[in-house]
């Protein structure tokens, strides 16, 4: 064939893609997934946040409970300390009272012992002393330092003793050299004393002599005054 027949070139321009119509049976939430709704997915971190929030709200309550417990413990400690202090104070006062009472008792006993010993020494010395120039006065002094049976005996023999002393003309002077209280009952008002006496005897004529004697004396407290109720000679060296 003569000549070339020009064939029409196909149109290769891009054709518009057809629009896809939505499937009415499709689940948009399933297709879009959980993030498509704009709501965060609650996971472990969200649970921890909630727990932290709860813990934050409970912290003040726990602190308040701790403060209350501390206050109760402090009050209890203060109460125990107060009771302990009171008990110690009571014990201290009791001990002081006991010591004070005991001290007063010992002091009172010591005073009574000294008073009995002093009266015993004076009485024994008086009964061993007579001045021949003052017989009546000295024998009256014997009655002043005695009581009970001894006083009664000296009262009965007062007249005869006076006459004998005047007739003898002898003077005696007793000096206590040693004494000790051997028994003392402050409630009963009785005591016993051992007394050693040095007696100087001066006769009407002749040389003076010295003798040493020992006596055991019973004393009785009469109207607050200790006096001799009995007098017994004890051999020197006897226990």
């Amino acid at each position: 064939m003569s000549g070339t027949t020009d064939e029409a070139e196909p149109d290769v321009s891009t054709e518009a893609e057809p629009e896809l119509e939505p499937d009415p049976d499709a689940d948009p939430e399933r297709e879009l997934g959980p993030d498509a709704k704009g709501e965060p997915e609650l996971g472990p971190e969200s649970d921890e946040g909630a727990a932290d929030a709860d813990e934050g709200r409970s912290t003040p309550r726990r602190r308040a409970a701790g403060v209350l417990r501390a206050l109760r413990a402090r009050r209890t400690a203060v109460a125990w300390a107060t009771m302990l202090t009171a008990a110690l104070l009571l014990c201290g006062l009791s001990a002081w009272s006991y010591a004070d009472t005991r001290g007063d008792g010992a002091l009172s006993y010591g005073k009574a012992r000294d008073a009995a010993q002093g009266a015993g020494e004076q009485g024994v010395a008086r009964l061993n002393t007579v001045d021949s120039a003052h017989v009546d006065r000295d024998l009256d002094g014997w009655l002043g330092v005695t009581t009970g049976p001894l006083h009664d005996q000296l009262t009965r023999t007062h007249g005869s003793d006076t006459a004998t002393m005047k007739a003898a003309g002898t003077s005696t002077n007793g000096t206590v050299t040693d004494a000790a209280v051997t028994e003392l009952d402050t409630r009963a008002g009785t005591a016993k004393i051992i007394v050693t006496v040095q007696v100087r005897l001066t006769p009407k004529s002749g040389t003076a002599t010295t003798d040493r004697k020992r006596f055991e004396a019973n004393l009785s407290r009469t109207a607050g005054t200790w006096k001799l109720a009995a007098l017994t000679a004890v051999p020197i060296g006897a226990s």
Side-chain angles (χ1 to χ4, degrees):
M1 296 178 64
S2 62
T4 304
T5 303
D6 295 330
E7 294 181 359
E9 294 179 0
D11 188 1
V12 294
S13 60
T14 302
E15 295 181 0
E17 294 180 359
E19 295 182 2
L20 297 176
E21 295 182 2
D23 185 359
D25 296 331
D27 187 355
E29 293 184 0
R30 185 171 60 251
E31 293 181 357
L32 296 177
D35 295 337
K37 299 174 66 176
E39 296 180 359
E41 182 179 0
L42 297 177
E45 294 182 358
S46 299
D47 294 340
E48 291 178 0
D52 291 340
D54 291 340
E55 183 178 359
R57 286 192 298 270
S58 62
T59 298
R61 291 195 296 270
R62 286 199 298 270
R63 289 178 179 174
V67 171
L68 289 176
R69 286 193 298 270
L71 288 175
R72 292 192 189 99
R74 184 176 180 182
R75 290 174 182 172
T76 302
V78 170
W80 277 108
T82 302
M83 288 189 291
L84 179 60
T85 302
L88 291 175
L89 181 60
L90 181 60
C91 291
L93 289 175
S94 299
W96 175 84
S97 178
Y98 173 76
D100 187 58
T101 302
R102 185 177 181 181
D104 290 344
L107 180 61
S108 177
Y109 184 88
K111 288 182 176 180
R113 180 194 59 214
D114 293 343
Q117 180 171 331
E121 292 178 7
Q122 182 182 359
V124 172
R126 177 66 61 86
L127 293 180
N128 284 275
T129 299
V130 176
D131 186 347
S132 59
H134 303 92
V135 175
D136 292 329
R137 180 200 64 186
D138 290 344
L139 267 61
D140 287 342
W142 289 8
L143 299 177
V145 297
T146 58
T147 187
L150 181 58
H151 181 81
D152 295 341
Q153 178 185 347
L154 294 175
T155 300
R156 288 193 303 268
T157 62
H158 181 72
S160 60
D161 291 340
T162 301
T164 301
M165 294 290 182
K166 287 181 178 180
T170 301
S171 296
T172 59
N173 183 54
T175 303
V176 175
T177 59
D178 193 18
V181 175
T182 58
E183 294 182 19
L184 176 62
D185 188 337
T186 56
R187 292 186 178 181
T190 59
K192 283 187 177 182
I193 183 173
I194 292 290
V195 182
T196 302
V197 185
Q198 181 175 287
V199 181
R200 182 175 178 81
L201 185 108
T202 305
K204 188 174 183 178
S205 61
T207 305
T209 59
T210 300
D211 192 12
R212 191 163 67 98
K213 298 181 179 181
R214 179 171 293 174
F215 298 93
E216 182 182 62
N218 290 359
L219 293 96
S220 179
R221 188 174 54 204
T222 303
T225 302
W226 292 95
K227 294 185 178 183
L228 299 176
L231 188 66
T232 304
V234 177
I236 297 298
S239 57

